[in-house]
Amino acid sequence: MTERAVCVIGTGLIGGSLMRTAGKAGRTVWGTSDSPDTAEEARADGFDVTTDTDAALRRAAEDDALVVLAVPLPALPGVLRRVDAVAPTCRLTDTVSVKVAVADHVARYAPRARFVGGHPMAGTAESGWAAGQAGLFTGAAWVVAADDGLDLDVWADVAELAWACGARVVPAAADEHDLAVARVSHLPHLLAAVLAAVGAAGEDDLPLALAASSFADGTRVAGTRPELVLAMCEGNRDALLGAVDDALGRLGAMRGALASTGGLAATVNAGYAGRQRWAAARDPEAVRVGRSRLALPALREIGRRGDAVVGWTG
């Protein structure tokens, strides 16, 4: 397994956690922030963080480092223009929660980069450098794009970074990833927002005073900074619309049953079954693959089965 250096562009929750974790794993890591205060805070914690993105990218090009874009989707075009200007053929990945839109941006703004998309499925409702933690990715699924035509050497780089961070690699095509996260990540943010708004809709605070763990669990991600939620959900609009339509159909059927017969069994039983299936899927089969024999169609099939790549054979 290589110990390739890592350049992290963006040092919020995910980027900051990545710097902490990769550094703890023995990687040489440096990063950038567009906020002087954040960069100073990170340096005070002992990390090599600057506001000079061009300088960080030049170092990445010189050291043949893996560049990780850990910025929100709306910030990508500007960052990718700097990548194309300073380190045009660099090894490049990202941590953004949509993959088709990111791949489109890379193709448009940094077409020479050796890009393989990534998405660590980990996070909290907090944000910023101070929210980062070295163990954030431990045991988490880390999607690594497996579309035809990708650079297999860079695919291995991204997978090895994920393993160094304690994650398991789930290979997936970009469009399949976006459909999946629309249902299990982006839709929950919208449902949490609706639930929080309904709970706070009355003129008095009695409902909120009585709210306990079910309300707290159901609305946890509603505490995420709104601009971050907007970026991920609006950036995956087409896939998310399908998930919203599915949810509305189920809510409509549930309301009809409640109004006509008073029965909620179909909804509650389906939800219980879905939760049990999710619990079972959290213990995927661990698969090892040959580094010199990587095949993207086979990798995609591993992801579709819900299994995870945990290392190389031999």
Side-chain angles (χ1 to χ4, degrees):
M1 190 175 295
T2 64
E3 299 295 334
R4 190 172 302 283
V6 180
C7 171
V8 182
I9 309 298
T11 51
L13 169 66
I14 299 300
S17 296
L18 181 54
M19 289 194 71
R20 290 173 170 92
T21 309
K24 189 174 181 180
R27 300 288 185 103
T28 299
V29 186
W30 62 92
T32 71
S33 172
D34 61 3
S35 165
D37 290 342
T38 296
E40 183 177 353
E41 186 180 1
R43 287 194 297 270
D45 287 341
F47 291 86
D48 185 355
V49 176
T50 178
T51 58
D52 190 341
T53 299
D54 283 9
L57 289 171
R58 280 193 294 270
R59 181 178 173 186
E62 292 167 0
D63 293 359
D64 196 22
L66 177 64
V67 177
V68 183
L69 305 179
V71 298
L73 183 64
L76 276 182
V79 173
L80 287 168
R81 287 188 180 98
R82 300 318 308 154
V83 170
D84 193 53
V86 179
T89 60
C90 69
R91 300 168 184 266
L92 185 67
T93 188
D94 73 297
T95 64
V96 182
S97 65
V98 294
K99 297 275 65 77
V100 171
V102 173
D104 289 345
H105 282 330
V106 173
R108 179 176 180 182
Y109 297 109
R112 294 173 289 176
R114 300 168 65 186
F115 175 69
V116 174
H119 180 203
M121 300 295 296
T124 71
E126 305 301 320
S127 59
W129 171 264
Q133 49 188 285
L136 184 67
F137 309 110
T138 301
W142 190 310
V143 176
V144 181
D147 299 276
D148 290 334
L150 293 179
D151 187 316
L152 293 177
D153 193 35
V154 179
W155 195 96
D157 287 336
V158 180
E160 289 177 351
L161 176 61
W163 296 330
C165 291
R168 60 183 191 272
V169 168
V170 179
D175 58 347
E176 293 178 351
H177 163 276
D178 287 1
L179 288 169
V181 296
R183 292 181 171 272
V184 299
S185 178
H186 302 163
L187 179 63
H189 275 87
L190 298 186
L191 294 178
V194 171
L195 180 57
V198 170
E203 295 184 359
D204 59 58
D205 286 340
L206 178 60
L208 298 176
L210 298 179
S213 58
S214 59
F215 184 82
D217 292 346
T219 62
R220 180 183 63 81
V221 295
T224 306
R225 283 167 44 198
E227 63 269 26
L228 299 179
V229 177
L230 291 172
M232 75 172 82
C233 291
E234 292 174 355
N236 198 25
R237 180 180 63 178
D238 291 342
L240 183 54
L241 281 171
V244 170
D245 287 344
D246 189 353
L248 289 174
R250 293 172 186 271
L251 285 170
M254 179 271 293
R255 188 195 184 284
L258 181 63
S260 62
T261 68
L264 294 172
T267 296
V268 172
N269 289 337
Y272 180 83
R275 176 75 181 193
Q276 299 308 304
R277 186 174 170 187
W278 168 76
R282 289 178 64 81
D283 186 22
E285 180 179 345
V287 178
R288 292 183 177 271
V289 296
R291 195 185 194 287
S292 62
R293 300 187 302 278
L294 288 175
L296 291 164
L299 289 171
R300 290 194 295 271
E301 192 56 39
I302 290 171
R304 291 182 187 125
R305 294 198 307 265
D307 297 334
V309 182
V310 298
W312 307 125
T313 57

